[in-house]
Amino acid sequence: MQVTPHVYVMHIDDGAVFHPGGSNNYFVGDPHEAMLLIDTGEQQREWTQRILAYYEQLGRPKITAILLTHGHSDHIGGLDRVIDVMQAPARCHPRLASRLEAMVGKDMVTPLQPQEEVRTGGGVRLQALFTPGHEVDHVSYHFEAERVLFTGDCVLGGSSTTVRDLSSYMESLQVLTRYPHDTVCPGHGPVALPPRGTELVRWYIQHREEREQQILAALAKGISGVAEIARDVYPADLPEGLRRGAEQNVATHLAKLVKEGRVAETPSRYGLRT
Ligand SMILES: [Zn+2]
C-alpha cells in the first residue's frame, strides 16, 4: 500500500499480543529509480518471503540502503537473506553495528551518524534521529518533504510500547515533536495518517505523563510493590499476556522517579526458603 508519493508499506498481521495491529516494513523512494528499505522483520522464512514478494511487486527497484530502527529480533530478523537479494548495505545506530557485522559481514554495515541525511531515488532524503528509550540503539527517520516520521518501536500505531529507559525515552519523544510531520509510520500497528498522525507523538507523551501521575497517586495511597501498583493502575481485565509488560512498565516509571529523586526505593527483603 502506498502511504505518500514515496512511501510504501508492507503490512503483516503477525498476531503478536505485545503489539496489536501487526507489523510493518517500509520501502521509501521511487520504485523506477531507487529505494530504501526500513527494517527486515522477524526471522521466519515466511516473513522474509513476504518482504521479497513486495519487492518483486515494486519491480525489484535498486535498494540503496537497508535502514534498521533497532536491534530487536522482529526488526533485523531477515537481514541476511534480504541483503543477499538486494545487495545493499545495512545502516544502523553505531551501538548495533557489531551485532549486524557478525550477521552479514563488516563490508555490509555502515553505522549512521547522528542526524545523518540518507538519500535515495525520487530525490528522497531521510534524516536519522537517534531516539533511545525503547532500546539504546533505536533510530527514527524523518522524511521532511512528505511530513512522515518512521518511528520504529518508539511510537506504535495501535498501542503503547515497552520502554527500557523512560528518562531517555521521554526525551526522545520530545525530539520527535520538533520534526514537522503529520503521518507516523510505526514498526507495529496501523500507519497513523493525518489528523491522527499529527497528534500521535503528543498523545504518547501525555499518556506517559498520566501514567506517572497514576503511579504517584498509588504511592500516595501507601501501595509500594510493583505488582500491587500495576494492579491499582491498570484495568482489572488486562489480558494475562500483558500483565508482565504492565509490571515492567511500572518498574520503568519507578526507576525514572527514583533517578529524579522524587521517589525513594527501599531495599528488598529476604528470607529463608521454607
Ligand atoms: Zn518491534
Side-chain angles (χ1 to χ4, degrees):
M1 189 189 95
Q2 198 169 355
V3 180
T4 63
H6 291 98
V7 176
Y8 299 76
V9 59
M10 200 271 321
H11 180 83
I12 288 191
D13 274 313
D14 53 8
V17 65
F18 299 107
H19 37 73
S23 300
N24 309 304
N25 298 93
Y26 299 94
F27 286 86
V28 187
D30 181 346
H32 304 292
E33 201 183 320
M35 303 188 90
L36 301 162
L37 169 63
I38 302 182
D39 283 345
T40 57
E42 287 275 13
Q43 261 164 7
Q44 286 94 315
R45 183 176 295 268
E46 192 204 331
W47 193 307
T48 310
Q49 284 167 346
R50 293 275 295 270
I51 293 176
L52 295 178
Y54 196 77
Y55 170 65
E56 291 286 336
Q57 220 178 301
L58 289 169
R60 292 181 68 88
K62 177 183 165 57
I63 301 295
T64 45
I66 298 164
L67 307 179
L68 284 322
T69 59
H70 62 296
H72 286 175
S73 58
D74 57 330
H75 296 259
I76 61 167
L79 183 63
D80 49 352
R81 285 167 291 179
V82 168
I83 280 188
D84 283 345
V85 174
M86 298 181 185
Q87 291 297 316
R91 305 296 316 275
C92 64
H93 193 285
R95 294 183 72 161
L96 177 58
S98 60
R99 260 181 68 209
L100 296 189
E101 283 170 10
M103 217 173 145
V104 298
K106 222 174 162 59
D107 307 349
M108 295 310 280
V109 181
T110 313
L112 290 158
Q113 303 288 328
Q115 295 178 308
E116 182 180 336
E117 195 175 81
V118 182
R119 296 166 180 238
T120 193
V124 167
R125 293 177 301 166
L126 297 195
Q127 193 174 9
L129 310 174
F130 289 7
T131 42
H134 171 72
E135 194 44 83
V136 288
D137 59 11
H138 196 285
V139 185
S140 302
Y141 299 92
H142 184 227
F143 181 12
E144 189 179 16
E146 290 177 13
R147 297 178 64 86
V148 177
L149 263 186
F150 298 93
T151 54
D153 282 6
C154 187
V155 174
L156 304 184
S159 63
S160 66
T161 188
T162 56
V163 173
R164 183 181 282 266
D165 178 340
L166 192 55
S167 307
S168 51
Y169 180 72
M170 294 306 286
E171 281 166 31
S172 292
L173 290 179
Q174 293 294 348
V175 165
L176 292 180
T177 62
R178 294 200 284 273
Y179 290 84
H181 63 274
D182 40 39
T183 299
V184 171
C185 288
H188 307 285
V191 168
L193 298 169
R196 187 168 172 264
T198 319
E199 291 304 320
L200 190 59
V201 177
R202 273 181 236 286
W203 287 345
Y204 251 63
I205 294 171
Q206 206 185 331
H207 166 75
R208 290 283 167 178
E209 285 170 353
E210 279 169 18
R211 192 62 87 206
E212 185 167 289
Q213 288 309 316
Q214 291 168 339
I215 290 169
L216 288 168
L219 290 167
K221 282 190 267 181
I223 305 172
S224 62
V226 169
E228 291 75 19
I229 294 172
R231 260 202 298 280
D232 187 68
V233 162
Y234 283 88
D237 60 353
L238 193 68
E240 207 35 57
L242 298 180
R243 178 68 53 192
R244 255 187 81 98
E247 289 174 6
Q248 187 55 48
N249 191 34
V250 168
T252 316
H253 270 282
L254 291 169
K256 172 177 177 283
L257 291 165
V258 168
K259 198 162 134 189
E260 292 168 357
R262 297 164 69 192
V263 164
E265 185 179 9
T266 354
S268 316
R269 283 160 298 163
Y270 298 89
L272 285 175
R273 285 176 187 275
T274 50

